[in-house]
Amino acid sequence: MCSGGVDPSQMAYGLADDAMDEYLRMGATTASICLENFVDGIIHLFQDEYLIRPTPEDLQRLLNIGELQGFPGMIGSIDCMHWEWKNCPTAWKGQYSRTYNDLNVLDRSPVFDDILEGRAPKVSYFVNGCQYHMAYYLTDGIYPKCATFIQSISRPQGPKASLFANCQEGVRKDIERAFGVLQARFAIVRNLALYWDKAKIGKIMRACIILHNMIIDDERDQCTQYDFSEFVEGEGSETSQVDYTYSTETTTNVNNMMVNRARVRAERMHQQLKADLVEHIWLKFRTT
């Protein structure tokens, strides 16, 4: 693949191609090719294992974590990390900074494709005595009021709303910490992107995420802060559950996709779920 450790140093420390040419006696072009080969190798060997959609078992673990944090049915937080392109052509200057905000990235993202096409595993959970069947993400205020998004309360009035806002914003810090850890491990994505080719920039980001996921998978059992001993099958009627018997090989058609799209974007369901979560958080975490 390559030798001398140039590509890991470039990824870990964000060095330019010619930063170590005197020390390693390697030209900038060779260092660039070395990095590209390393990135291609990581993607080819490990993408199918460390860059895939969650399995039902992974989804159940995420639901259990959400339940422990006070948000039944929550499978994580969603946000965007913007990586500035130093060598963006002059003719394109400003286009991406203006138009590629979180919502535009979301529109291009396949994150909800499985739900829209009926391939996502079914889940069920209870909040404040009401049963729901669609998992959701915690987000900031820019995202729309959909059944799959739960934002904080920007100007909370009263103790219930204030407690909910504090809990939601505290849990949502996980996504910012994840971006922070990714950038701390791989300074190449913290600094300006130096390459000209957009495809190469995308591959570098993908390789960093794969390596990041490998580290998380290796350290998960040793470093987890959650105790899942209370999640015993048959105990706790409010425990979020994944339906393992549901077939994800559903044949899709336009009508089903439109129905699923309406379910995802249902603002009324969003409002009801958010109100139930406010009550649930109050009952779970209020101080007496």
Side-chain angles (χ1 to χ4, degrees):
M1 191 179 296
C2 60
S3 61
V6 177
D7 37 86
S9 67
Q10 286 179 280
M11 294 177 70
Y13 304 115
L15 301 177
D17 292 339
D18 59 352
M20 301 181 71
D21 54 354
E22 293 294 331
Y23 178 72
L24 296 173
R25 298 295 190 270
M26 182 180 292
T29 301
T30 304
S32 175
I33 294 173
C34 185
L35 175 62
E36 293 170 21
N37 289 338
F38 179 80
V39 165
D40 287 339
I42 290 294
I43 294 174
H44 174 71
L45 293 173
F46 301 111
Q47 177 174 255
D48 292 342
E49 183 177 358
Y50 292 100
L51 203 62
I52 59 175
R53 59 174 58 89
T55 64
E57 291 76 15
D58 293 332
L59 185 57
Q60 184 63 62
R61 179 177 53 83
L62 294 173
L63 290 171
N64 290 344
I65 293 175
E67 185 110 7
L68 288 173
Q69 294 177 312
F71 290 89
M74 185 266 292
I75 55 175
S77 303
I78 194 168
D79 206 344
C80 292
M81 186 188 81
H82 301 278
W83 189 15
E84 188 174 349
W85 189 7
K86 178 179 182 296
N87 293 322
C88 180
T90 303
W92 296 354
K93 287 290 186 182
Q95 290 186 24
Y96 293 96
S97 61
R98 287 197 308 269
T99 61
Y100 274 18
N101 57 29
D102 290 13
L103 292 181
N104 298 115
V105 172
L106 180 65
D107 287 339
R108 293 170 174 261
S109 170
V111 65
F112 293 124
D113 284 358
D114 282 355
I115 297 177
L116 298 179
E117 296 173 7
R119 296 196 304 263
K122 284 189 174 181
V123 302
S124 63
Y125 56 95
F126 287 87
V127 183
N128 195 35
C130 297
Q131 188 175 21
Y132 294 88
H133 299 282
M134 184 175 292
Y136 59 89
Y137 296 92
L138 301 183
T139 69
D140 57 20
I142 193 174
Y143 289 88
K145 295 180 180 180
C146 299
T148 49
F149 295 143
I150 293 295
Q151 303 90 354
S152 180
I153 300 176
S154 58
R155 298 181 181 84
Q157 302 293 323
K160 291 184 180 180
S162 298
L163 179 59
F164 172 82
N166 290 335
C167 290
Q168 196 271 2
E169 292 163 11
V171 174
R172 216 184 70 81
K173 286 291 182 182
D174 290 349
I175 189 67
E176 297 178 8
R177 296 188 187 101
F179 289 149
V181 171
L182 177 68
Q183 292 176 319
R185 284 176 173 157
F186 305 104
I188 192 171
V189 300
R190 182 175 68 242
N191 302 329
L192 299 178
L194 301 178
Y195 279 74
W196 285 95
D197 193 328
K198 290 190 294 181
K200 293 178 181 178
I201 294 174
K203 286 183 177 181
I204 291 171
M205 175 62 77
R206 181 173 297 184
C208 289
I209 294 173
I210 290 172
L211 293 171
H212 177 72
N213 289 344
M214 291 173 67
I215 296 172
I216 292 176
D217 186 66
D218 182 62
E219 298 177 348
R220 176 179 295 150
D221 295 335
Q222 293 80 17
C223 301
T224 182
Q225 59 179 315
Y226 301 106
D227 180 12
F228 298 127
S229 59
E230 66 179 86
F231 293 104
V232 180
E233 187 174 355
E235 298 181 8
S237 60
E238 293 187 355
T239 300
S240 307
Q241 294 290 340
V242 176
D243 183 1
Y244 289 91
T245 64
Y246 176 71
S247 174
T248 58
E249 303 299 327
T250 306
T251 303
T252 60
N253 57 57
V254 174
N255 290 335
N256 289 339
M257 291 184 64
M258 294 301 293
V259 171
N260 292 333
R261 185 177 183 274
R263 290 178 59 230
V264 168
R265 294 179 174 268
E267 183 173 346
R268 184 183 63 82
M269 185 62 67
H270 163 86
Q271 299 290 1
Q272 179 181 342
L273 175 59
K274 191 170 184 177
D276 285 334
L277 283 170
V278 170
E279 292 295 329
H280 177 80
I281 292 292
W282 176 252
L283 294 175
K284 187 177 180 69
F285 295 116
R286 65 178 175 178
T287 57
T288 55

